[in-house]
Amino acid sequence: MGELNNLEDLFHHQLKDIYSAEKQLIKALPTMVENASNEQLQKAFEEHLEETKGHKKRLEEIGEELDLDLSGETCNAMKGLIEEAEEFISENPDLDVKDAGIIADAQRIEHYEISAYGTAVTFAEALGHNNAAKKLQQTLDEESEADATLNELAIESVNPRAKSV
Ligand SMILES: [Fe+2]
């Protein structure tokens, strides 16, 4: 048997995975800011970059509380999602189409994180880690808000522009 023998182990494993995902996203978001043409979209990515740094910090606080080293894991799902976004950007689409595509890729990322944090909250609650559950829920709420903001931007301004290219 490996080191994953109970829900606590699995929770730690999930936290490490999310930690890697957040660190990768912090590196990737500046590229999204640079490549967004719509000012509101740029602003949304800039804000989410700051939030994402906060998410990383919350995970570090949880790691300290649980006496857990979060390093050493690579989230391959986030790696793939970021690669796809970068590939799309490198195809050099029309600027309005590029905005619509970057939103699509960013929302995939948000949905992945929403799923991961949803699971992490549930595990933390099951294990009685109430502080951790609260912090993870805060991040989950911010991810959901970021997703809603992107959705609104897409529907109200980016998609209509991309349509009339
Ligand atoms: Fe995040």
Side-chain angles (χ1 to χ4, degrees):
M1 263 203 291
E3 287 169 20
L4 293 164
N5 297 319
N6 54 45
L7 191 65
E8 185 73 44
D9 293 344
L10 183 58
F11 178 53
H12 295 181
H13 182 71
Q14 298 271 337
L15 289 174
K16 288 180 176 193
D17 188 80
I18 302 174
Y19 188 61
S20 163
E22 296 286 21
K23 284 199 297 184
Q24 291 183 56
L25 189 55
I26 288 170
K27 279 195 198 155
L29 274 167
T31 307
M32 295 197 178
V33 174
E34 278 167 36
N35 281 280
S37 302
N38 183 301
E39 269 179 41
Q40 283 172 288
L41 183 57
Q42 271 183 0
K43 212 177 129 235
F45 284 138
E46 275 166 4
E47 280 173 14
H48 196 56
L49 174 57
E50 289 316 302
E51 272 178 354
T52 302
K53 289 176 185 168
H55 299 170
K56 176 174 171 266
K57 195 161 164 274
R58 274 189 200 126
L59 289 168
E60 285 164 353
E61 288 165 6
I62 292 168
E64 250 172 64
E65 201 180 309
L66 301 177
D67 200 17
L68 172 70
D69 178 10
L70 294 172
S71 65
E73 194 81 27
T74 299
C75 174
N76 284 315
M78 181 60 86
K79 201 173 160 205
L81 289 166
I82 290 170
E83 271 170 17
E84 277 202 18
E86 289 174 350
E87 263 170 42
F88 167 70
I89 289 168
S90 74
E91 281 172 42
N92 217 10
D94 167 274
L95 293 184
D96 291 324
V97 173
K98 184 152 82 170
D99 278 354
I102 292 174
I103 289 180
D105 289 332
Q107 284 195 283
R108 275 187 175 77
I109 288 171
E110 288 314 310
H111 284 229
Y112 174 75
E113 290 194 291
I114 288 165
S115 170
Y117 276 104
T119 301
V121 169
T122 306
F123 284 176
E125 283 171 351
L127 293 162
H129 295 311
N130 299 330
N131 258 334
K134 229 182 270 173
K135 283 187 204 286
L136 294 166
Q137 182 66 51
Q138 280 177 334
T139 297
L140 176 57
D141 291 344
E142 287 173 8
E143 306 289 16
S144 299
E145 278 167 35
D147 180 58
T149 300
L150 290 173
N151 215 27
E152 229 177 85
L153 269 172
I155 291 167
E156 283 172 14
S157 61
V158 174
N159 292 349
R161 278 169 167 269
K163 195 177 157 189
S164 63
V165 162

